[in-house]
Amino acid sequence: NAARVMTVTQEIGVEHMMTFYDWMIARYQGKNSPRGDLADDMSSDKSWPAENTRAAILEHLSNHGACSECVEVFKRCWRDYRKFEEVSP
C-alpha cells in the first residue's frame, strides 16, 4: 500500500521521487500475483534500464521477449506508478 511505500522511501532516505523499479520492488516483490511476478523478474534482471521512462522499459521488455501479458501488467503498473507520483509530496 502507499503507506508502506512511503515508509520504505523514508527508511532509505530517498527525498526525490521513487523510480518505477524502486516503487515496484517496495510494493509488489514477493507477492503471489502478476504484479509480484513482474517485480520478482525485475529484481533479478541485471540489465533493467536505468532510464525511468515508459518507453525505455517497454523497449527493454520487447528486446527481452516479454509475453503480451507481462507487457499489459507493466502498463497497468506504470499507470498506477504515475498516479502515485502525482500524489506524493
Side-chain angles (χ1 to χ4, degrees), residues 5-32:
V5 173
M6 289 309 295
T7 300
V8 170
T9 303
Q10 292 164 352
E11 287 172 3
I12 61 176
V14 176
E15 295 180 6
H16 56 82
M17 299 306 295
M18 290 181 83
T19 64
F20 177 75
Y21 177 90
D22 292 337
W23 182 81
M24 284 291 294
I25 299 306
R27 194 171 179 112
Y28 296 112
Q29 188 174 26
K31 305 278 184 181
N32 186 19

Side-chain angles (χ1 to χ4, degrees), residues 47-87:
S47 65
W48 188 261
E51 185 178 341
N52 191 47
T53 66
R54 185 178 187 271
I57 296 169
L58 282 172
E59 181 178 353
H60 177 78
L61 293 173
S62 175
N63 290 344
H64 288 81
C67 66
S68 60
E69 291 84 3
C70 176
V71 172
E72 289 307 311
V73 168
F74 161 71
K75 289 177 180 178
R76 289 192 302 271
C77 290
W78 184 264
R79 280 192 297 269
D80 290 348
Y81 166 69
R82 297 294 297 176
K83 289 176 188 172
F84 169 80
E85 277 192 313
E86 291 171 7
V87 298

